[in-house]
Amino acid sequence: SLPIEKKEIYRWVESYKTGCKVAEDSPNTQVVVITDREGDFAELFEEVNKSQKKDRYADIIVRSYHDRKVEVSDDVVRDGIEDYDVRKKLRDALKSSNSLGDIKFTIPAAAGRPEKNVTQTLKAARLTFKKRDTSKKKSSPKVKMNAVMAIEENPPEGQEALVWVFLTTLPIDTFEQVALIIRYYLARWEIEIFFKVLKSGCKVEDRRFKECESLLSLIAVFLIIAWRIMYVLKLGRESPEISCDVIFSEAEWKSVYKITHKKSELPLAPPNLGNFIRMIAMLGGYLNRKNDPPPGPLLMWKGMLRMNDFALAWEVFL
């Protein structure tokens, strides 16, 4: 019964408004706001439709939670489906649409979940719906959104099919456009890791300043630090054989090598990036055993923090 402004989920509306402000200030950049299933509520979509009337606005991708009743636009009633019902539940409406094609990707391993290769069939429709009537008022406006379903039609034996449904403002006319929506959503894992570095590594939420400007300056520095850690890890996994001096200074790689190889002489050439990342992670507590997975961002955060001290000492004393 509370107004939406008093509910915790209203932060998604505020976040979207911030995204629209960024879009207005950056006319040559596409801004896409991504939310999890908590963002699936009609008031957010009402704000999205309102913003679409402006010249510049942020696009949005919302992971669907509610299997709400919808109206399906006539232009997506596929040929050969004569008895297509344009008023039905969201997931039934999408399942009734023809397949646009298949997309393949890998879901990274997580706690209690191994890495998984996935093949999903893509479907799409244009929908109209209203928010659930809790106030007995009939004045709620209809909202229009594009919907996408990514369904694993042939999951591995013994595993539940992976099914995603998204509501979005992005175009859905072609397979390439729908596949791009899935790729945008897959970037969410990288975004979550980035903020994990900010929160658990930089501990940005624990910082206290009297002046807002000081806190904003600190956050700006931490954003750069978190980006560098993510950049180093990603480049190290995709191009482990390149020389580490592409990213790290001479003082950085030499000091870290000497700390982690106390009884060895410095090599004539810098180590490759893949091996050097493991050396940095060892400074942060990484055990570097034969079957250990690659180091993660928090170990890299701790290791690079120590690396900075060692590199400074290297430059001062040698």
Side-chain angles (χ1 to χ4, degrees):
S1 61
L2 288 174
I4 187 64
E5 292 82 6
K6 299 293 185 181
K7 297 181 180 180
E8 187 178 355
I9 60 172
Y10 189 66
R11 68 179 187 272
W12 292 111
V13 177
E14 295 176 317
S15 296
Y16 179 72
K17 289 181 178 180
T18 300
C20 289
K21 181 63 170 59
V22 174
E24 291 175 2
D25 295 340
S26 308
N28 296 321
T29 302
Q30 182 185 28
V31 178
V32 181
V33 176
I34 301 176
T35 89
D36 61 18
R37 284 172 286 189
E38 192 181 51
D40 184 12
F41 58 97
E43 288 87 349
L44 174 58
F45 301 127
E46 289 174 4
E47 181 64 35
V48 171
N49 280 181
K50 189 188 306 180
S51 298
Q52 286 179 298
K53 298 176 183 179
K54 302 178 182 178
D55 293 335
R56 292 288 303 165
Y57 62 89
D59 284 300
I60 194 168
I61 300 172
V62 177
R63 175 90 177 270
S64 172
Y65 175 73
H66 300 292
D67 193 18
R68 52 170 56 85
K69 291 183 179 180
V70 297
E71 298 175 18
V72 184
S73 176
D74 291 337
D75 64 347
V76 295
V77 176
R78 310 301 184 185
D79 294 337
I81 308 179
E82 298 178 358
D83 60 343
Y84 196 88
D85 181 7
V86 297
R87 296 183 63 87
K88 56 172 59 180
K89 288 292 190 74
L90 170 62
R91 283 158 178 74
D92 289 338
L94 287 167
K95 288 178 181 177
S96 299
S97 299
N98 284 349
S99 299
L100 299 174
D102 292 346
I103 187 172
K104 297 181 180 181
F105 55 89
T106 300
I107 295 179
R113 185 193 67 200
E115 182 178 275
K116 181 180 180 181
N117 296 319
V118 177
T119 299
Q120 286 183 317
T121 300
L122 302 184
K123 303 186 176 190
R126 296 182 182 86
L127 307 173
T128 303
F129 56 88
K130 294 179 68 173
K131 70 178 180 182
R132 186 165 57 91
D133 187 11
T134 57
S135 63
K136 304 305 179 183
K137 296 180 180 179
K138 305 299 182 181
S139 60
S140 299
K142 289 185 177 181
V143 296
K144 297 180 179 180
M145 296 292 292
N146 295 334
V148 169
M149 172 176 278
I151 180 170
E152 190 179 22
E153 295 188 325
N154 297 296
E157 186 176 353
Q159 295 186 21
E160 186 177 352
L162 181 64
V163 181
W164 289 337
V165 176
F166 303 102
L167 297 170
T168 181
T169 56
L170 292 167
I172 58 170
D173 299 311
T174 65
F175 168 79
E176 289 74 17
Q177 291 173 336
V178 176
L180 182 61
I181 293 169
I182 304 301
R183 287 196 289 271
Y184 282 159
Y185 182 73
L186 290 174
R188 177 184 163 198
W189 277 287
E190 297 288 341
I191 296 169
E192 289 180 348
I193 293 173
F194 177 81
F195 280 98
K196 186 177 181 180
V197 175
L198 271 180
K199 294 178 179 181
S200 301
C202 301
K203 298 188 182 300
V204 67
E205 293 177 317
D206 296 338
R207 311 297 173 171
R208 296 290 182 267
F209 286 91
K210 292 183 179 180
E211 299 294 332
C212 180
E213 291 77 8
S214 300
L215 181 59
L216 290 176
S217 299
L218 180 67
I219 292 174
V221 173
F222 282 161
L223 287 170
I224 297 170
I225 293 172
W227 167 83
R228 190 183 189 217
I229 292 171
M230 294 287 292
Y231 173 69
V232 168
L233 281 173
K234 195 169 184 64
L235 187 61
R237 292 177 184 177
E238 294 183 355
S239 305
E241 298 305 319
I242 66 174
S243 174
C244 70
D245 64 356
V246 171
I247 298 178
F248 297 98
S249 69
E250 181 178 341
E252 287 174 332
W253 77 259
K254 285 186 175 180
S255 61
V256 170
Y257 188 94
K258 200 61 181 174
I259 290 293
T260 56
H261 298 75
K262 293 183 175 62
K263 297 181 180 181
S264 303
E265 295 293 330
L266 282 171
L268 296 177
N272 66 46
L273 184 58
N275 287 332
F276 188 67
I277 285 175
R278 288 178 176 267
M279 296 179 205
I280 296 175
M282 289 170 64
L283 300 179
Y286 183 63
L287 298 178
N288 199 26
R289 294 170 299 196
K290 184 177 180 180
N291 295 323
D292 283 341
L298 295 186
L299 288 174
M300 283 297 293
W301 156 262
K302 296 176 182 178
M304 290 178 72
L305 195 64
R306 297 191 69 197
M307 178 190 70
N308 289 336
D309 295 333
F310 296 142
L312 178 61
W314 188 275
E315 292 175 336
V316 170
F317 296 110
L318 294 176

